[in-house]
Amino acid sequence: LEITSHLMGKSMAFFHYQTPSLCGDSAVRKKTANFVLFFALLISKENTSSNSFFASALITCTPNDPRSGDSYCVETYREGSYCTGEGICSNPFRTGCLHNVLPDHFTKLRTCNSYDDANATERGDCAISRFDYDEVRILNQNWEGAMFSSWIMQIVLSELLDVPTTIETGKPNTEASMDFYDPGLRFSYHDATYDWDALYTAFEHPDCESFQVERKSNGEEYRSCAHVLPEAWNGQNKNIANDVQEGLIEPTTGTGGVSKLSWYVPIFTARRNAKLLSYIGMTE
């Protein structure tokens, strides 16, 4: 797994994270923030309760109802969720993941981004960044590993580093969203596996949001724009090498994940036909 990035059209190094090797390989003991391990511990902490960490689907509710209203949303999701006027339980992480999960350690709100409306700060959804830093847009891809990686990156940047961060789906935010903080809990992932054009667009137009606003005002179609590609498998090595050589992207770096392709056999299937436990049995 690799991160491919070219921030703001400049030659800048982007963060990477690594997890300790399960085999005790000392080569991975680098002075980098262990974001994946931290996030895994965060999730494991949540598993001690009945609350669900990730929303799998929208949950309907009844506004102002004592049983199926706000209390139902809190019970179903977690503290921070409420029953909206549309009859849907809101995103409990709207103000920030760490802010809600570990309130004793993370008291500040997440950093606002261009997808937030003008009243976001007044509602207490987010806070304006203390730094004059350009927004980073992360490309969403169409498989779970990359999706969750983009969420982890958005959380780290928005909540720990105070950097405005959004997620690119290939469509306007009014039509689709994979943003972790999306109030409607939309799960609209990108149609393309590797949208290299989005990186090229960000190289030419570093401010993705201003670029989209300009295109819309000119009556032009939406054009994907992103600074980060969360994952690239070895089938993309040629494209990566060419783009690095041309200076379009930064040299890639490993995220520390170990990837493989496997055939999963449910236990009830294995019990019925043990031959399916081996690829040899698959050929019969």
Side-chain angles (χ1 to χ4, degrees), residues 65-122:
D65 188 279
R67 297 185 61 183
S68 59
D70 294 345
S71 60
Y72 173 72
C73 292
V74 171
E75 179 183 355
T76 305
Y77 279 154
R78 63 172 296 113
E79 192 71 36
S81 180
Y82 62 90
C83 187
T84 66
E86 292 76 25
I88 296 175
C89 290
S90 70
N91 186 346
F93 302 111
R94 180 67 175 153
T95 59
C97 173
L98 304 180
H99 173 72
N100 281 276
V101 177
L102 302 173
D104 294 335
H105 302 282
F106 296 92
T107 57
K108 73 182 187 71
L109 301 174
R110 67 172 175 87
T111 300
C112 298
N113 59 56
S114 61
Y115 290 168
D116 291 305
D117 60 41
N119 300 319
T121 54
E122 294 182 12

Side-chain angles (χ1 to χ4, degrees), residues 1-5 14 17 36 138-153 192-196 199 227-237 239-240 249 252-261:
L1 307 181
E2 298 170 323
I3 297 176
T4 305
S5 66
F14 196 66
Y17 54 89
V36 171
I138 303 169
L139 185 66
N140 176 243
Q141 295 168 276
N142 60 2
W143 68 90
E144 288 86 347
M147 295 175 190
F148 298 152
S149 291
S150 66
W151 276 354
I152 293 173
M153 293 177 188
T193 303
Y194 296 105
D195 187 359
W196 293 103
L199 296 181
H227 307 103
V228 183
L229 180 70
E231 287 189 21
W233 287 52
N234 54 11
Q236 299 297 312
N237 285 348
N239 290 332
I240 293 172
I249 62 175
T252 61
T253 183
T255 63
V258 178
S259 58
K260 66 176 183 177
L261 297 176

